[in-house]
C-alpha cells in the first residue's frame, strides 16, 4: 500500500464524513455506506467488520428506554429532577447541571434536557439569576455525560473497541475514568460560568424588556412554578425504577465478572462478554416494564428516544463500517505515521476526537471514527479513554445542536444566545472549559491507574 493510495482513501473517508454531516441524522450512516462502496469497489479493499454488536446494544437499550418513555418514565424523571432544582434555587448554576448529568447518565440520553429547560429558566429568573449560566452548563454537560453512561450509544461503541484483547478495558474501568472526570469538569465549569455575563439587574437588554412589559419583574415569584405544573404517574415511576435497576444490574455485572456465566468453547472456558450482557439485560428490562407499567407497545416508534436511537444506530453502522474498512486496510501505515504523531504529542488524539465530534455532532460517531485509530497507533487504553471522555464534548462546538437551539428558545430573557459568527454563541466558552477540564482529569486518572 503506497502513501498516495492511503491519502486518496483518507480523502474519501473525510469527504464522506463531511457530506454526511451536511445531510445530518441518518445521512451520516448513508454516506458511510458510500465510503465503504468506494473503498471496496474502487480501491479493492476488503470490507471491514461492521459494528453489529454496537448496533445491537443501541437497539436493545433504545427499546427499553422508549418503553419507559411511553409508560411515563421520562416525565417522572423530569418531575424528580425539577423538584431537586427548585429546592436549591440560589445554587442552580451548579445543581441544575449536576442533576441533568445524573439523569442523562442513568437514561443514556440527553432527551431529558428538553423538558428541564423551562424549569431551569423559571427558577433562575424568579430568583434573579442570569438564566444563561445554568442553561449553558446544563446543555454542554450532556456532551460528556454520555461517555459516563453505561447505556448510551457512545458507550456501546466504546465497549466494542476496548473490552477485547489485548486492551481489556471494560465497562467498570471506563466508568472509573469518565465518571469522576466528568463530575470535576461540571463543577469547575459551573464555578467559572457563575461569574460570566452581567447580573440580570445590570443587564440593560433584560431591563428594557422588563420596562416594556415583555418580561415580568425580576426576582418576583409567579403564581406557580413551571415545575409544579409537571405531572407524573405511578406507572411512569415504576417504569423508570425498573430501567434504573437494569442500569445498576449492568454495572454490577461489570464490577463482579464472576456473576456472569461461563461456557466451554472447545478447550477453553469463555465468560459471557459485557456487550452481550447489556443486550440481554435491556431486553429483560423492556419486558418487565411492559408487565408492570402497561405502556402502549404500538406507540414505541413514536417516542422521541426511539427515533433518536434508530438514527444513531444507522449513523453509527455506516460510519463505523467505513472507518473499520479504512483502518484495517492501512493499519501498518497508520501505526507508523499516526503512532509517531501520538508518541510526540499525545493530545493530538483528543484534538482529533474533538474535531470529529464537532463536525458530526455525534459522540458515538466520533468514537467509532477516532478510537480505532488511537488504539491502532498504540495509545495506552486508559489514557485514550480519559481523553475520549472529555473530547466528545466537542459536539456543542457549533450552535447547531437541538439542546442548544431549545435552550436559547426557552430563555425568554434572551441571555442565552446562538450568536451570529459561528463560535460566538453562549455555549462555546462553557463547552471549552468543560472539555479541557474533563479531558485533563480523565487523562490523569487513565494514565495513573491504567
Amino acid at each position: 500500500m503506497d502513501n498516495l493510495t492511503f491519502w486518496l482513501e483518507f480523502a474519501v473517508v473525510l469527504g464522506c464524513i463531511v457530506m454526511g454531516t451536511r445531510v445530518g441524522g441518518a445521512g451520516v450512516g448513508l454516506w458511510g455506506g458510500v465510503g465503504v462502496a468506494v473503498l471496496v469497489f474502487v480501491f479493492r479493499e476488503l470490507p471491514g467488520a461492521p459494528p453489529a454488536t454496537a448496533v445491537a446494544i443501541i437497539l436493545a437499550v433504545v427499546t427499553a428506554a422508549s418503553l419507559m418513555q411511553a409508560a411515563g418514565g421520562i416525565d417522572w424523571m423530569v418531575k424528580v429532577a425539577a423538584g431537586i432544582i427548585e429546592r436549591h434555587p440560589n445554587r442552580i448554576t451548579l445543581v441544575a447541571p449536576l442533576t441533568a448529568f445524573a439523569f442523562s447518565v442513568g437514561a443514556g440520553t440527553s432527551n431529558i434536557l428538553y423538558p428541564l429547560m423551562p424549569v431551569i429558566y423559571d427558577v433562575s429568573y424568579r430568583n434573579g439569576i442570569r438564566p444563561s449560566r445554568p442553561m449553558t452548563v446544563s446543555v454542554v454537560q450532556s456532551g460528556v455525560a454520555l461517555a459516563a453512561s453505561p447505556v448510551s450509544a457512545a458507550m456501546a461503541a466504546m465497549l466494542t473497541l476496548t473490552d477485547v484483547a489485548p486492551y481489556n478495558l471494560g465497562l467498570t474501568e471506563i466508568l472509573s475514568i469518565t465518571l469522576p472526570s466528568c463530575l470535576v469538569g461540571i463543577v469547575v465549569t459551573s464555578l467559572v460560568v457563575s461569574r460570566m455575563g452581567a447580573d440580570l439587574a445590570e443587564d440593560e437588554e433584560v431591563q428594557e424588556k422588563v420596562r416594556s412589559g415583555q418580561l415580568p419583574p425580576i426576582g418576583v415569584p409567579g403564581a406557580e412554578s413551571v415545575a409544579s405544573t409537571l405531572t407524573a404517574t405511578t406507572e411512569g415511576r415504576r417504569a423508570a425504577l425498573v430501567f434504573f435497576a437494569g442500569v445498576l444490574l449492568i454495572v454490577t455485572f461489570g464490577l463482579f465478572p464472576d456473576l456472569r456465566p461461563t461456557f466451554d468453547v472447545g478447550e477453553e472456558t469463555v465468560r459471557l462478554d459485557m456487550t452481550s450482557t447489556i443486550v440481554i439485560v435491556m431486553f429483560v428490562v423492556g419486558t418487565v416494564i411492559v408487565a408492570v407499567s402497561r405502556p402502549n407497545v404500538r406507540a414505541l416508534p413514536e417516542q422521541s428516544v426511539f427515533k433518536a436511537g434508530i438514527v444513531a444506530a444507522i449513523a453509527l453502522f455506516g460510519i463505523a463500517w467505513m472507518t473499520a474498512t479504512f483502518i484495517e486496510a492501512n493499519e501498518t501505515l497508520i501505526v507508523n505515521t499516526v503512532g509517531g504523531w501520538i508518541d510526540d504529542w499525545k493530545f493530538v488524539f483528543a484534538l482529533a476526537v474533538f474535531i470529529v465530534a464537532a463536525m458530526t455532532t455525534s459522540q458515538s460517531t466520533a468514537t467509532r471514527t477516532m478510537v480505532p485509530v488511537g488504539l491502532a497507533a498504540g495509545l495506552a487504553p486508559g489514557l485514550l479513554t480519559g481523553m475520549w471522555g472529555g473530547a466528545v464534548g466537542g459536539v456543542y462546538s457549533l450552535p447547531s445542536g437541538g439542546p442548544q437551539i431549545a435552550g436559547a428558545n426557552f430563555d425568554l430573557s434572551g441571555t442565552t444566545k446562538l450568536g451570529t459568527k459561528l463560535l460566538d454563541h453562549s455555549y462555546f466558552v462553557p463547552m471549552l472549559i468543560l472539555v479541557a477540564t474533563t479531558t485533563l482529569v480523565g487523562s490523569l486518572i487513565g494514565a495513573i491507574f491504567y
Side-chain angles (χ1 to χ4, degrees):
M1 175 67 63
D2 56 39
N3 286 347
L4 177 60
T5 303
F6 169 83
W7 287 111
L8 288 174
E9 292 184 0
F10 177 76
V12 169
V13 171
L14 185 61
C16 287
I17 293 174
V18 171
M19 291 301 297
T21 302
R22 292 180 63 182
V23 175
V28 177
L30 294 175
W31 274 99
V34 171
V36 174
V38 174
L39 293 174
V40 171
F41 289 100
V42 176
F43 292 96
R44 301 294 177 176
E45 302 291 7
L46 182 69
T53 306
V55 172
I57 293 176
I58 294 172
L59 293 178
V61 171
V62 164
T63 300
S66 300
L67 287 167
M68 175 184 67
Q69 184 179 24
I74 296 289
D75 294 336
W76 179 82
M77 290 166 57
V78 171
K79 182 75 172 179
V80 173
I84 295 171
I85 293 170
E86 284 214 321
R87 284 196 292 271
H88 306 279
N90 294 327
R91 294 189 290 273
I92 189 172
T93 304
L94 177 62
V95 173
L98 287 176
T99 303
F101 173 77
F103 283 92
S104 297
V105 167
T109 175
S110 60
N111 283 343
I112 192 174
L113 288 175
Y114 294 101
L116 272 183
M117 286 174 184
V119 177
I120 295 171
Y121 169 75
D122 179 62
V123 174
S124 301
Y125 191 84
R126 289 194 301 125
N127 288 275
I129 297 170
R130 187 178 181 87
S132 63
R133 294 169 180 170
M135 190 75 79
T136 55
V137 186
S138 296
V139 168
V140 300
Q141 65 77 27
S142 67
V144 299
L146 301 190
S149 171
V151 288
S152 69
M155 184 62 76
M158 189 67 172
L159 273 175
T160 58
L161 297 169
T162 62
D163 194 17
V164 294
Y167 313 115
N168 298 318
L169 201 74
L171 179 64
T172 305
E173 291 78 16
I174 294 174
L175 291 178
S176 69
I177 296 171
T178 57
L179 264 176
S181 61
C182 288
L183 288 171
V184 172
I186 292 170
V187 171
V188 170
T189 305
S190 297
L191 293 175
V192 175
V193 172
S194 66
R195 302 178 184 279
M196 288 177 58
D199 292 335
L200 288 182
E202 300 172 357
D203 190 311
E204 186 55 36
E205 182 180 337
V206 174
Q207 290 298 319
E208 179 58 35
K209 290 182 179 180
V210 173
R211 288 191 292 268
S212 66
Q214 297 179 56
L215 292 173
I218 297 169
V220 178
E224 63 177 348
S225 67
V226 171
S228 66
T229 66
L230 300 174
T231 59
T233 63
T234 301
E235 291 78 10
R237 178 176 63 84
R238 289 174 185 164
L241 292 177
V242 169
F243 187 85
F244 285 141
V247 174
L248 290 176
L249 185 59
I250 289 170
V251 174
T252 302
F253 278 128
L255 282 170
F256 305 102
D258 288 343
L259 294 176
R260 286 179 264 147
T262 57
F263 311 94
D264 292 327
V265 180
E267 297 181 356
E268 62 178 330
T269 300
V270 178
R271 188 174 302 281
L272 182 67
D273 61 273
M274 273 306 298
T275 52
S276 298
T277 301
I278 293 172
V279 173
I280 294 170
V281 170
M282 281 293 107
F283 273 126
V284 173
V285 164
T287 304
V288 175
I289 289 174
V290 171
V292 301
S293 297
R294 301 293 182 182
N296 182 2
V297 178
R298 293 186 178 181
L300 195 68
E302 301 170 10
Q303 306 306 310
S304 60
V305 171
F306 187 85
K307 294 175 182 177
I310 293 300
V311 169
I314 295 171
L316 177 64
F317 190 93
I319 207 75
W321 196 11
M322 177 179 67
T323 53
T325 301
F326 173 71
I327 291 170
E328 289 176 21
N330 300 280
E331 186 168 1
T332 301
L333 189 57
I334 289 172
V335 170
N336 293 338
T337 305
V338 180
W341 298 344
I342 292 177
D343 283 341
D344 295 335
W345 304 286
K346 294 193 183 325
F347 278 88
V348 165
F349 171 76
L351 180 61
V353 173
F354 180 90
I355 292 172
V356 175
M359 289 173 56
T360 63
T361 65
S362 168
Q363 295 96 329
S364 55
T365 301
T367 302
R368 288 297 307 208
T369 301
M370 292 311 307
V371 169
V373 176
L375 292 173
L379 194 61
L383 177 60
L384 176 145
T385 299
M387 289 192 281
W388 164 77
V392 290
V395 292
Y396 292 127
S397 297
L398 304 178
S400 56
Q404 294 164 293
I405 297 170
N409 290 333
F410 279 119
D411 184 355
L412 302 180
S413 70
T415 60
T416 305
K417 303 179 185 298
L418 293 177
T420 58
K421 300 180 177 65
L422 207 61
L423 299 180
D424 62 338
H425 54 92
S426 298
Y427 304 94
F428 188 71
V429 173
M431 179 274 302
L432 283 182
I433 297 170
L434 179 64
V435 167
T437 306
T438 305
T439 300
L440 178 60
V441 175
S443 299
L444 288 174
I445 295 174
I448 292 173
F449 295 100
Y450 298 100

